[in-house]
């Protein structure tokens, strides 16, 4: 009987350490510190799920995950806990600093700072990165074709968008940063500092470029009027715009 009780307690501890964290709904994500985070949109689920590798290693206390009310919407703040940071803590392996986030709807905004490595499948409005972070998005699907979307990199950060449709955009690329926009852009205001690199999928006459060195701005020419992906991406944006938004 005593052995059974010990086994039960041990099983409870293990399951508690490996179970995902409960997270209330949110629309924005901010990842700080050198974490590696993957975000997956799964419309078949109704709740957010967050799996953090450190939780299964007895290091859950080193990772903070909290949803806070912000000006533009509820934001999940994910990064190293302040207590661990004050102690100069470093995760013993790259695995310990990994997290997988599953959301029922595409995120509106994602930001990465403090050396974070973030991979997101779908984003609808804004991408922000600084402090040598890397932010990669598989598909940009603008939530509103008439609204300007923001894509901004500073302090040695890199942003890559592999595909989709961003519509109107304001793009800022700081010194030492690389921004690669494989998504289609209908028009954009561009600011690029010296030493910055921008690869953008748009026609040059749709861009308003303010760059210290024009050589830093590189254009991937496409013929938007003949590109069928514009129509499908625009339809997806309209559908997303009409869908309910998480409060």
């Amino acid at each position: 009987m005593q052995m059974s009780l010990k086994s039960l307690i041990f099983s409870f501890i293990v399951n508690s350490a490996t179970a995902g964290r409960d997270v209330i709904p949110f629309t924005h994500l901010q990842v700080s510190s050198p974490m590696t985070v993957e975000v997956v949109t799964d419309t078949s689920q109704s709740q957010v799920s967050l799996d953090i590798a450190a939780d299964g290693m007895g290091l859950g206390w080193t990772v903070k995950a909290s949803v806070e009310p912000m000006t533009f919407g509820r934001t999940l703040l994910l990064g190293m806990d302040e207590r661990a940071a004050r102690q100069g803590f470093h995760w013993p392996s790259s695995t310990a600093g990994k997290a997988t986030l599953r959301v029922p709807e595409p995120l509106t905004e994602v930001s990465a700072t403090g050396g974070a490595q973030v991979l997101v499948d779908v984003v609808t409005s804004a991408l922000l990165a600084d402090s040598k972070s890397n932010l990669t998005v598989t598909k940009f699907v603008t939530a509103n074709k008439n609204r300007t979307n923001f894509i901004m990199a500073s302090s040695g950060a890199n942003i890559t968008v592999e595909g989709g449709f961003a519509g109107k955009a304001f793009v800022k690329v700081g010194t030492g940063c690389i921004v690669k926009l494989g998504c289609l852009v209908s028009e954009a205001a561009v600011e690029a500092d010296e030493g910055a690199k921008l690869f953008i999928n748009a026609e040059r006459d749709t861009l308003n470029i303010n760059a210290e060195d024009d050589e830093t701005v590189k254009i991937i020419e496409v013929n938007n009027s003949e590109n069928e992906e514009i129509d499908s991406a625009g339809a997806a944006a309209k559908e997303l715009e009409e869908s309910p938004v998480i409060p």
Side-chain angles (χ1 to χ4, degrees), residues 37-38 54 80 86 89 96 108 164 167 205 247:
V37 178
E38 180 180 6
M80 182 174 288
R86 285 197 299 267
F89 180 86
T108 301
D205 61 7

Side-chain angles (χ1 to χ4, degrees), residues 127-130 148-159 169-181 188-194 196-198 200 208 210-212 216-217:
L127 301 172
L128 311 170
D130 64 13
T148 299
N149 299 305
F150 291 85
I151 301 171
M152 305 171 67
S154 61
S155 303
N158 301 317
I159 295 177
F170 172 77
V171 184
K172 183 174 177 59
V173 191
T175 300
C177 299
I178 300 175
V179 173
K180 298 180 180 180
L181 301 181
V190 176
E191 290 188 9
D193 295 336
E194 183 177 359
K197 292 184 179 180
L198 169 63
I200 186 168
N208 179 12
N210 178 15
E212 295 183 13
T216 64
V217 181

